[in-house]
mmCIF file of all heavy atoms in Angstrom:
data_model
loop_
_atom_site.group_PDB
_atom_site.id
_atom_site.type_symbol
_atom_site.label_atom_id
_atom_site.label_comp_id
_atom_site.label_asym_id
_atom_site.label_seq_id
_atom_site.Cartn_x
_atom_site.Cartn_y
_atom_site.Cartn_z
ATOM 1 N N ASP A 18 2.926 -16.012 32.519
ATOM 2 C CA ASP A 18 2.748 -14.698 31.882
ATOM 3 C C ASP A 18 3.753 -14.466 30.765
ATOM 4 O O ASP A 18 3.680 -13.450 30.069
ATOM 5 C CB ASP A 18 2.895 -13.574 32.920
ATOM 6 C CG ASP A 18 1.815 -13.624 33.984
ATOM 7 O OD1 ASP A 18 0.631 -13.823 33.619
ATOM 8 O OD2 ASP A 18 2.151 -13.459 35.172
ATOM 9 N N THR A 19 4.673 -15.373 30.594
ATOM 10 C CA THR A 19 5.665 -15.246 29.528
ATOM 11 C C THR A 19 4.981 -15.217 28.166
ATOM 12 O O THR A 19 4.219 -16.128 27.827
ATOM 13 C CB THR A 19 6.671 -16.405 29.588
ATOM 14 O OG1 THR A 19 7.413 -16.317 30.810
ATOM 15 C CG2 THR A 19 7.624 -16.367 28.402
ATOM 16 N N ALA A 20 5.239 -14.169 27.414
ATOM 17 C CA ALA A 20 4.582 -13.983 26.119
ATOM 18 C C ALA A 20 5.128 -12.722 25.467
ATOM 19 O O ALA A 20 5.839 -11.933 26.102
ATOM 20 C CB ALA A 20 3.073 -13.851 26.291
ATOM 21 N N VAL A 21 4.768 -12.540 24.214
ATOM 22 C CA VAL A 21 4.961 -11.244 23.566
ATOM 23 C C VAL A 21 3.687 -10.440 23.817
ATOM 24 O O VAL A 21 2.584 -10.929 23.579
ATOM 25 C CB VAL A 21 5.218 -11.388 22.055
ATOM 26 C CG1 VAL A 21 5.366 -10.010 21.408
ATOM 27 C CG2 VAL A 21 6.465 -12.236 21.805
ATOM 28 N N TYR A 22 3.863 -9.232 24.308
ATOM 29 C CA TYR A 22 2.734 -8.368 24.644
ATOM 30 C C TYR A 22 2.585 -7.286 23.581
ATOM 31 O O TYR A 22 3.573 -6.644 23.186
ATOM 32 C CB TYR A 22 2.943 -7.747 26.015
ATOM 33 C CG TYR A 22 2.687 -8.723 27.141
ATOM 34 C CD1 TYR A 22 3.570 -9.782 27.372
ATOM 35 C CD2 TYR A 22 1.561 -8.611 27.950
ATOM 36 C CE1 TYR A 22 3.327 -10.698 28.381
ATOM 37 C CE2 TYR A 22 1.316 -9.526 28.963
ATOM 38 C CZ TYR A 22 2.205 -10.569 29.172
ATOM 39 O OH TYR A 22 1.969 -11.475 30.175
ATOM 40 N N TYR A 23 1.342 -7.099 23.154
ATOM 41 C CA TYR A 23 1.028 -6.126 22.116
ATOM 42 C C TYR A 23 -0.025 -5.149 22.618
ATOM 43 O O TYR A 23 -0.935 -5.533 23.350
ATOM 44 C CB TYR A 23 0.449 -6.819 20.879
ATOM 45 C CG TYR A 23 1.327 -7.837 20.223
ATOM 46 C CD1 TYR A 23 1.315 -9.171 20.640
ATOM 47 C CD2 TYR A 23 2.153 -7.489 19.157
ATOM 48 C CE1 TYR A 23 2.111 -10.115 20.033
ATOM 49 C CE2 TYR A 23 2.954 -8.437 18.537
ATOM 50 C CZ TYR A 23 2.919 -9.745 18.981
ATOM 51 O OH TYR A 23 3.717 -10.685 18.355
ATOM 52 N N CYS A 24 0.070 -3.909 22.171
ATOM 53 C CA CYS A 24 -1.038 -2.985 22.376
ATOM 54 C C CYS A 24 -1.678 -2.711 21.015
ATOM 55 O O CYS A 24 -1.026 -2.839 19.970
ATOM 56 C CB CYS A 24 -0.597 -1.692 23.040
ATOM 57 S SG CYS A 24 0.525 -0.661 22.081
ATOM 58 N N ALA A 25 -2.945 -2.347 21.062
ATOM 59 C CA ALA A 25 -3.687 -2.086 19.843
ATOM 60 C C ALA A 25 -4.705 -0.982 20.115
ATOM 61 O O ALA A 25 -5.243 -0.891 21.216
ATOM 62 C CB ALA A 25 -4.391 -3.352 19.371
ATOM 63 N N ALA A 26 -4.947 -0.163 19.114
ATOM 64 C CA ALA A 26 -5.871 0.963 19.246
ATOM 65 C C ALA A 26 -7.090 0.753 18.365
ATOM 66 O O ALA A 26 -6.966 0.376 17.194
ATOM 67 C CB ALA A 26 -5.159 2.263 18.870
ATOM 68 N N ASP A 27 -8.252 1.030 18.937
ATOM 69 C CA ASP A 27 -9.525 0.876 18.249
ATOM 70 C C ASP A 27 -10.212 2.233 18.199
ATOM 71 O O ASP A 27 -10.333 2.902 19.231
ATOM 72 C CB ASP A 27 -10.387 -0.131 19.006
ATOM 73 C CG ASP A 27 -11.720 -0.412 18.341
ATOM 74 O OD1 ASP A 27 -11.960 0.079 17.218
ATOM 75 O OD2 ASP A 27 -12.536 -1.125 18.954
ATOM 76 N N ALA A 28 -10.675 2.621 17.021
ATOM 77 C CA ALA A 28 -11.328 3.920 16.875
ATOM 78 C C ALA A 28 -12.649 4.004 17.624
ATOM 79 O O ALA A 28 -13.161 5.094 17.870
ATOM 80 C CB ALA A 28 -11.539 4.232 15.401
ATOM 81 N N VAL A 29 -13.201 2.869 18.016
ATOM 82 C CA VAL A 29 -14.412 2.870 18.832
ATOM 83 C C VAL A 29 -14.019 3.210 20.257
ATOM 84 O O VAL A 29 -13.191 2.532 20.843
ATOM 85 C CB VAL A 29 -15.112 1.501 18.780
ATOM 86 C CG1 VAL A 29 -16.321 1.493 19.705
ATOM 87 C CG2 VAL A 29 -15.506 1.170 17.343
ATOM 88 N N PRO A 30 -14.580 4.256 20.864
ATOM 89 C CA PRO A 30 -14.102 4.703 22.177
ATOM 90 C C PRO A 30 -14.425 3.780 23.342
ATOM 91 O O PRO A 30 -13.753 3.840 24.378
ATOM 92 C CB PRO A 30 -14.781 6.070 22.356
ATOM 93 C CG PRO A 30 -15.947 6.049 21.429
ATOM 94 C CD PRO A 30 -15.572 5.183 20.288
ATOM 95 N N ASP A 31 -15.437 2.943 23.208
ATOM 96 C CA ASP A 31 -15.777 2.022 24.294
ATOM 97 C C ASP A 31 -15.121 0.673 24.057
ATOM 98 O O ASP A 31 -15.074 0.172 22.932
ATOM 99 C CB ASP A 31 -17.287 1.824 24.375
ATOM 100 C CG ASP A 31 -17.998 3.084 24.816
ATOM 101 O OD1 ASP A 31 -17.574 3.667 25.827
ATOM 102 O OD2 ASP A 31 -18.959 3.487 24.141
ATOM 103 N N CYS A 32 -14.665 0.075 25.150
ATOM 104 C CA CYS A 32 -14.100 -1.275 25.041
ATOM 105 C C CYS A 32 -15.210 -2.245 24.654
ATOM 106 O O CYS A 32 -16.304 -2.197 25.203
ATOM 107 C CB CYS A 32 -13.476 -1.684 26.366
ATOM 108 S SG CYS A 32 -11.944 -0.841 26.739
ATOM 109 N N GLY A 33 -14.895 -3.104 23.754
ATOM 110 C CA GLY A 33 -15.871 -4.101 23.310
ATOM 111 C C GLY A 33 -15.257 -5.020 22.288
ATOM 112 O O GLY A 33 -15.639 -6.171 22.147
ATOM 113 N N ALA A 34 -14.277 -4.492 21.591
ATOM 114 C CA ALA A 34 -13.604 -5.297 20.583
ATOM 115 C C ALA A 34 -12.698 -6.311 21.259
ATOM 116 O O ALA A 34 -11.992 -5.986 22.216
ATOM 117 C CB ALA A 34 -12.783 -4.394 19.667
ATOM 118 N N THR A 35 -12.741 -7.534 20.786
ATOM 119 C CA THR A 35 -11.857 -8.573 21.306
ATOM 120 C C THR A 35 -11.099 -9.277 20.193
ATOM 121 O O THR A 35 -10.096 -9.926 20.448
ATOM 122 C CB THR A 35 -12.647 -9.625 22.109
ATOM 123 O OG1 THR A 35 -13.676 -10.160 21.274
ATOM 124 C CG2 THR A 35 -13.271 -9.004 23.342
ATOM 125 N N ARG A 36 -11.584 -9.164 18.972
ATOM 126 C CA ARG A 36 -10.911 -9.815 17.850
ATOM 127 C C ARG A 36 -9.800 -8.943 17.321
ATOM 128 O O ARG A 36 -9.889 -7.720 17.302
ATOM 129 C CB ARG A 36 -11.910 -10.113 16.736
ATOM 130 C CG ARG A 36 -13.039 -11.049 17.103
ATOM 131 C CD ARG A 36 -13.702 -11.611 15.836
ATOM 132 N NE ARG A 36 -13.803 -10.629 14.787
ATOM 133 C CZ ARG A 36 -14.886 -9.890 14.576
ATOM 134 N NH1 ARG A 36 -15.924 -10.003 15.380
ATOM 135 N NH2 ARG A 36 -14.926 -9.022 13.578
ATOM 136 N N ILE A 37 -8.782 -9.584 16.831
ATOM 137 C CA ILE A 37 -7.628 -8.871 16.300
ATOM 138 C C ILE A 37 -8.040 -7.937 15.176
ATOM 139 O O ILE A 37 -7.570 -6.798 15.091
ATOM 140 C CB ILE A 37 -6.573 -9.887 15.831
ATOM 141 C CG1 ILE A 37 -5.984 -10.638 17.025
ATOM 142 C CG2 ILE A 37 -5.479 -9.199 15.029
ATOM 143 C CD1 ILE A 37 -5.051 -11.760 16.656
ATOM 144 N N ASP A 38 -8.935 -8.376 14.308
ATOM 145 C CA ASP A 38 -9.281 -7.573 13.135
ATOM 146 C C ASP A 38 -10.191 -6.386 13.466
ATOM 147 O O ASP A 38 -10.501 -5.581 12.590
ATOM 148 C CB ASP A 38 -9.918 -8.442 12.055
ATOM 149 C CG ASP A 38 -11.218 -9.107 12.495
ATOM 150 O OD1 ASP A 38 -11.604 -8.940 13.682
ATOM 151 O OD2 ASP A 38 -11.837 -9.802 11.681
ATOM 152 N N GLU A 39 -10.587 -6.263 14.716
ATOM 153 C CA GLU A 39 -11.416 -5.120 15.106
ATOM 154 C C GLU A 39 -10.574 -3.908 15.470
ATOM 155 O O GLU A 39 -11.097 -2.815 15.614
ATOM 156 C CB GLU A 39 -12.311 -5.500 16.279
ATOM 157 C CG GLU A 39 -13.382 -6.525 15.930
ATOM 158 C CD GLU A 39 -14.263 -6.846 17.126
ATOM 159 O OE1 GLU A 39 -13.782 -7.533 18.042
ATOM 160 O OE2 GLU A 39 -15.425 -6.411 17.134
ATOM 161 N N TYR A 40 -9.276 -4.118 15.659
ATOM 162 C CA TYR A 40 -8.405 -3.024 16.052
ATOM 163 C C TYR A 40 -7.746 -2.395 14.830
ATOM 164 O O TYR A 40 -7.423 -3.072 13.855
ATOM 165 C CB TYR A 40 -7.353 -3.512 17.046
ATOM 166 C CG TYR A 40 -7.913 -3.665 18.443
ATOM 167 C CD1 TYR A 40 -8.593 -4.818 18.822
ATOM 168 C CD2 TYR A 40 -7.787 -2.630 19.375
ATOM 169 C CE1 TYR A 40 -9.137 -4.931 20.098
ATOM 170 C CE2 TYR A 40 -8.322 -2.752 20.648
ATOM 171 C CZ TYR A 40 -8.989 -3.899 21.006
ATOM 172 O OH TYR A 40 -9.527 -4.009 22.259
ATOM 173 N N ASP A 41 -7.549 -1.081 14.907
ATOM 174 C CA ASP A 41 -7.073 -0.323 13.749
ATOM 175 C C ASP A 41 -5.556 -0.221 13.666
ATOM 176 O O ASP A 41 -4.992 -0.156 12.569
ATOM 177 C CB ASP A 41 -7.664 1.087 13.783
ATOM 178 C CG ASP A 41 -9.179 1.064 13.747
ATOM 179 O OD1 ASP A 41 -9.728 0.741 12.678
ATOM 180 O OD2 ASP A 41 -9.810 1.346 14.780
#
């Protein structure tokens, strides 16, 4: 589990985005 952990917000309210460029 060792890693850098990031959070990201997507303007789309339902989960579905998985690509980095889909998050705002």
Side-chain angles (χ1 to χ4, degrees):
D18 296 316
T19 295
V21 178
Y22 284 70
Y23 300 88
C24 65
D27 182 6
V29 176
D31 292 310
C32 287
T35 56
R36 299 198 322 265
I37 292 174
D38 61 357
E39 292 181 287
Y40 282 83
D41 300 289

